[in-house]
Amino acid sequence: MNIKRYMIKDTNESVLKKLDPDESGDFKSKEEAEAKMAKLKERLAELQDILFAQKKHSLLVILQGMDSSGKDGTVKHIFSGINPQGFMVTSFKKPSLEEEAHDFLWRVHMKTPPKGYIAAFNRSHYEDVLVPRVHGNLKKEEMKRRFRYIREFEAMLAEEGTTIIKLFLHISKDKQLEKIQERLQDPTKHWKFDASDLQERQYWDDYQDAYDDVFKETSINTAPWYWIPANHRWYRNYLALAIVVKTLEGLDLSYPKLDTPTPDISKLISPRH
Amino acid sequence: MNIKRYMIKDTNESVLKKLDPDESGDFKSKEEAEAKMAKLKERLAELQDILFAQKKHSLLVILQGMDSSGKDGTVKHIFSGINPQGFMVTSFKKPSLEEEAHDFLWRVHMKTPPKGYIAAFNRSHYEDVLVPRVHGNLKKEEMKRRFRYIREFEAMLAEEGTTIIKLFLHISKDKQLEKIQERLQDPTKHWKFDASDLQERQYWDDYQDAYDDVFKETSINTAPWYWIPANHRWYRNYLALAIVVKTLEGLDLSYPKLDTPTPDISKLISPRH
C-alpha cells in the first residue's frame, strides 16, 4: 500500500473534482480488506504501546469531510482496540460563548496531544476557514490571516514533537443523500439526523471549492493532507488506518531503557514483609 | 453473576483483611471467563451506543488500588473495543502547581463525564485522603472535612445524572512484589518501573487501613464501592467489566426518537442536485 498516492500535492488547481470517492484501491473484495485491517489494528496497538512508553512523540489525526462523510465511523473503526488510556478524541461543534470569545485556535490548542498520546480531531480549526469561505462572513485579508495562523500553528506543533496527519473523507453528493435517508429510516440512527445538514447540503459545490482552498493554503510538508475515498466505508476505514500505521512506523519508536541501574529489590523490601 | 456480592457494605469494621485477592468466582478456568468476557464486551459496546445517542445519563468509573494492582490493565482490557468517541480516561498523578493551588476536587471535577459519556478515573480524589492518612500530614478534622466534601460531591454528581461506581483492585503484598519484578525483567515494561513504588510498599499495612477508612466514610448508596479480587488478571478484568455492564443495564437506556416529524427529503434537496 503506497499511501503517498493519497497525499494531496498538486494544489495549484482544484483537485477535488479529479478524485473519485468510489475508489477502492487494489482490493477485489471487502473481505480481503477486512482481513488486512485486522492485522493493521494489531500493529497499531503495538506501536501505540511503544509511543506511550517512550513519551517522545505524539500523533494528531485531523478528520474533515462533508456532513455524513463518516468522520465518527472512521474514529470508531480505526481507534477502537487501542489502549484508550493513550488516546483522546475531541469533536469540535459549534463554538460555545467562551470559545467564541477567544481566537479560533484557542479551543483546539487545548486538545492537542501531550507526548506519548494519539489525539483525533473530529472536525477542527478548519471549520473556521471553511464556513466563513462558504457563507462569506470574513474579509479576504482575514481569511488569509487565518490560513497563515494555521500554517504557523501546525508547523510549531510539528517541530515540538507532534506528528500531524490531516484526512479529508471524500464522499459524493449522492452518497450523502443515501446516508441521510439511512438516518431517517433506522430508529437506532435517528439521533444522528440533523435538519441543518440538509440546509448545508445546498452549499455542496461551495464547500468543495472551499476545501480546494484549504488544500492549497495548508498542505505543508510537516502536516500533509490526505484524501480518503469514502463512498465505501470499508475502504475508507482501511485506508485511514493504513495511513496512521505507516506514519507511526516512520517515527523512531523504541521502548525506553531503565534510567537507573536495576535496583536490588531484596534490599528495598519492607522489613515487615 | 451476582455483582452485589462484591459491593462493600459492612463498613463498621475493617473489611480488607477478610477479602481474598486470589478469589476467582465460579469459574473453572481462565478460558471459560474469556469466552464470557468477549460477549460482555459486545454488550458494553451496544449499551454505550445507546447511552451516547440518548445523552441522558453518564457513567463514572473510579479505579483505585495499591501500586501494580492493575489499574492501567483494567482500563485497557475492559474499555478497548468501545467507541472511543464516547469515552474518556484520566490518570491523576502527582498534582501540578496549578492543581495544588486549588481545592483537591478541582481537577477531578473538570474531568467528570458529560451526559452520554463514560469516564474512567485511574486514581482520583481518593489519593487526597489516602496519602495524608498514611503520611499523617493532615489533621483529623481536615480529614473529616475532606470525606464530607467527597460524599457531597459524589451525591451531587449522582443526582445530576452521573452514575458512579468505585472499584478497589485488591492484590496481595506478594503479588505486588511479583509484578514489580516483572517490570524489572521485561524490557517492554521497564518504563512502568518507578522506584517510589518500592518506597510506598513499606507502608503497605497503613494503606490497607486507610482504604478501610475510605470504605467506611464514602460507601454511599449513590456511589458504591466494589472490591475486585485482582491477583488473577483475567478474573479482575472479567469482574470489573461485569460490574460496568450490569450498572449500565440498570439505567433506562433507549434510543431517542426523532423530535420533529420525518422531513420530506425530496422537498429539501438542493435544486442544484
Side-chain angles (χ1 to χ4, degrees):
Chain A
M1 158 67 52
N2 183 10
I3 61 164
K4 286 251 168 82
R5 189 152 79 80
Y6 294 95
M7 206 184 265
I8 298 182
K9 280 174 188 159
D10 278 332
T11 53
N12 281 328
E13 39 191 329
S14 70
V15 289
L16 266 191
K17 279 189 194 106
K18 293 188 223 147
L19 303 176
D20 178 10
D22 265 318
E23 206 199 292
S24 59
D26 307 324
F27 288 113
K28 297 208 174 47
S29 71
K30 183 177 162 180
E31 288 66 34
E32 196 190 331
E34 283 173 347
K36 270 204 162 176
M37 184 140 175
K39 277 194 187 159
L40 275 178
K41 284 187 89 162
E42 280 173 36
R43 180 75 182 126
L44 176 60
E46 284 168 18
L47 290 164
Q48 186 215 11
D49 196 59
I50 310 176
L51 184 87
F52 193 74
Q54 191 180 18
K55 300 257 186 312
K56 180 177 173 188
H57 305 280
S58 58
L59 177 69
L60 172 60
V61 182
I62 298 177
L63 289 129
Q64 285 287 155
M66 301 294 285
D67 295 322
S68 319
S69 59
K71 297 179 288 295
D72 299 80
T74 305
V75 170
K76 178 173 168 177
H77 280 93
I78 72 180
F79 292 116
S80 70
I82 66 172
N83 186 348
Q85 201 146 267
F87 179 68
M88 39 203 277
V89 49
T90 312
S91 292
F92 292 100
K93 316 267 183 196
K94 201 174 165 324
S96 69
L97 288 175
E98 190 191 14
E99 288 168 349
E100 255 179 1
H102 292 83
D103 68 88
F104 74 102
L105 294 173
W106 182 76
R107 65 176 186 162
V108 292
H109 202 164
M110 239 184 296
K111 299 295 184 177
T112 51
K115 289 188 199 306
Y117 284 73
I118 300 177
F121 283 179
N122 184 337
R123 302 187 189 268
S124 65
H125 44 294
Y126 284 102
E127 295 294 321
D128 299 294
V129 283
L130 290 162
V131 178
R133 165 73 160 78
V134 168
H135 294 288
N137 40 18
L138 269 191
K139 288 197 192 114
K140 214 170 170 179
E141 313 87 82
E142 284 172 312
M143 290 290 298
K144 280 279 167 202
R145 266 211 303 273
R146 285 198 174 185
F147 279 127
R148 176 163 59 81
Y149 299 155
I150 290 177
R151 286 191 301 268
E152 288 167 353
F153 172 62
E154 292 181 355
M156 180 274 290
L157 291 179
E159 281 159 39
E160 292 298 316
T162 301
T163 299
I164 304 174
I165 44 186
K166 301 182 286 199
L167 307 180
F168 172 73
L169 307 188
H170 188 33
I171 53 164
S172 63
K173 198 174 177 188
D174 287 346
K175 191 70 184 183
Q176 187 192 53
L177 185 59
E178 209 179 281
K179 288 199 161 188
I180 292 174
Q181 279 166 331
E182 233 176 78
R183 290 177 178 185
L184 287 169
Q185 279 151 15
D186 179 349
T188 73
K189 290 186 178 170
H190 281 170
W191 64 282
K192 292 187 183 179
F193 174 75
D194 183 344
S196 72
D197 291 356
L198 286 169
Q199 293 301 324
E200 286 304 284
R201 182 174 159 81
Q202 299 180 49
Y203 301 98
W204 182 276
D205 294 335
D206 299 325
Y207 272 107
Q208 303 282 303
D209 292 345
Y211 269 110
D212 271 331
D213 270 10
V214 160
F215 302 146
K216 199 181 297 173
E217 297 281 354
T218 65
S219 278
I220 55 178
N221 283 335
T222 42
W225 275 105
Y226 293 90
W227 73 281
I228 310 280
N231 272 7
H232 299 290
R233 275 168 232 230
W234 57 270
Y235 191 63
R236 175 199 78 195
N237 293 338
Y238 170 81
L239 183 58
L241 178 57
I243 291 171
V244 168
V245 168
K246 206 56 155 193
T247 303
L248 286 172
E249 281 177 340
L251 303 175
D252 57 329
L253 296 178
S254 64
Y255 283 107
K257 298 194 173 40
L258 273 179
D259 55 358
T260 46
T262 309
D264 180 355
I265 286 204
S266 59
K267 273 192 198 159
L268 286 161
I269 301 305
S270 150
R272 281 184 283 166
H273 178 60
Chain B
M1 160 67 53
N2 182 11
I3 61 164
K4 287 249 168 83
R5 188 152 78 80
Y6 295 96
M7 206 184 267
I8 299 181
K9 281 174 189 160
D10 278 333
T11 53
N12 282 328
E13 39 192 328
S14 70
V15 289
L16 266 191
K17 278 187 195 107
K18 293 188 222 146
L19 303 175
D20 178 10
D22 264 319
E23 207 199 290
S24 59
D26 307 324
F27 288 113
K28 298 211 171 47
S29 71
K30 184 177 163 181
E31 288 66 33
E32 196 189 332
E34 282 174 346
K36 271 204 163 180
M37 183 138 175
K39 276 194 188 162
L40 275 178
K41 284 188 89 162
E42 279 173 36
R43 181 75 182 127
L44 175 60
E46 284 168 16
L47 290 163
Q48 185 214 13
D49 196 59
I50 310 176
L51 184 86
F52 192 73
Q54 191 180 19
K55 299 258 186 310
K56 181 178 171 186
H57 304 280
S58 58
L59 178 68
L60 172 59
V61 182
I62 299 176
L63 289 129
Q64 285 286 156
M66 301 295 285
D67 296 322
S68 321
S69 59
K71 297 179 289 296
D72 298 81
T74 305
V75 170
K76 177 173 169 178
H77 280 92
I78 73 180
F79 292 116
S80 69
I82 67 172
N83 186 348
Q85 201 147 266
F87 180 68
M88 38 203 278
V89 50
T90 311
S91 293
F92 292 99
K93 316 268 183 194
K94 201 174 165 324
S96 69
L97 288 175
E98 191 192 13
E99 287 168 350
E100 256 180 359
H102 291 84
D103 68 88
F104 74 103
L105 294 172
W106 181 75
R107 64 175 187 162
V108 292
H109 202 164
M110 240 184 296
K111 299 295 185 179
T112 52
K115 288 186 199 308
Y117 285 72
I118 299 176
F121 283 179
N122 184 337
R123 302 187 188 268
S124 65
H125 44 293
Y126 284 103
E127 295 295 320
D128 299 294
V129 281
L130 290 163
V131 178
R133 166 73 161 77
V134 168
H135 294 288
N137 40 19
L138 269 192
K139 288 195 192 115
K140 214 171 172 182
E141 314 87 81
E142 283 172 314
M143 289 291 297
K144 279 279 166 205
R145 265 210 305 273
R146 285 199 174 186
F147 279 126
R148 176 164 59 81
Y149 298 156
I150 290 177
R151 286 191 300 270
E152 288 168 353
F153 172 62
E154 292 182 355
M156 180 274 290
L157 291 179
E159 281 159 39
E160 292 298 316
T162 300
T163 299
I164 303 174
I165 45 186
K166 301 182 286 199
L167 308 180
F168 172 72
L169 307 188
H170 188 34
I171 53 166
S172 63
K173 198 175 178 187
D174 287 345
K175 191 71 185 183
Q176 187 192 53
L177 185 59
E178 209 180 281
K179 288 198 161 191
I180 291 174
Q181 279 165 331
E182 234 176 77
R183 289 178 179 183
L184 287 170
Q185 278 150 15
D186 179 349
T188 74
K189 290 186 177 169
H190 281 171
W191 64 281
K192 292 187 183 179
F193 175 75
D194 183 343
S196 72
D197 290 358
L198 286 169
Q199 293 301 323
E200 286 305 284
R201 184 174 157 81
Q202 298 180 50
Y203 301 98
W204 181 276
D205 294 335
D206 299 324
Y207 271 107
Q208 303 282 304
D209 291 345
Y211 270 110
D212 271 331
D213 269 10
V214 160
F215 302 146
K216 199 181 296 173
E217 295 282 353
T218 65
S219 277
I220 56 178
N221 283 334
T222 43
W225 275 103
Y226 293 90
W227 73 282
I228 311 280
N231 272 6
H232 299 290
R233 274 168 232 231
W234 58 270
Y235 191 63
R236 173 199 79 195
N237 293 338
Y238 170 80
L239 182 58
L241 178 57
I243 291 171
V244 168
V245 167
K246 207 53 155 196
T247 304
L248 286 172
E249 281 176 340
L251 303 175
D252 57 329
L253 296 178
S254 64
Y255 283 107
K257 297 194 175 37
L258 273 180
D259 55 358
T260 46
T262 310
D264 179 356
I265 286 205
S266 59
K267 272 194 199 158
L268 285 162
I269 301 307
S270 153
R272 282 184 282 165
H273 177 59

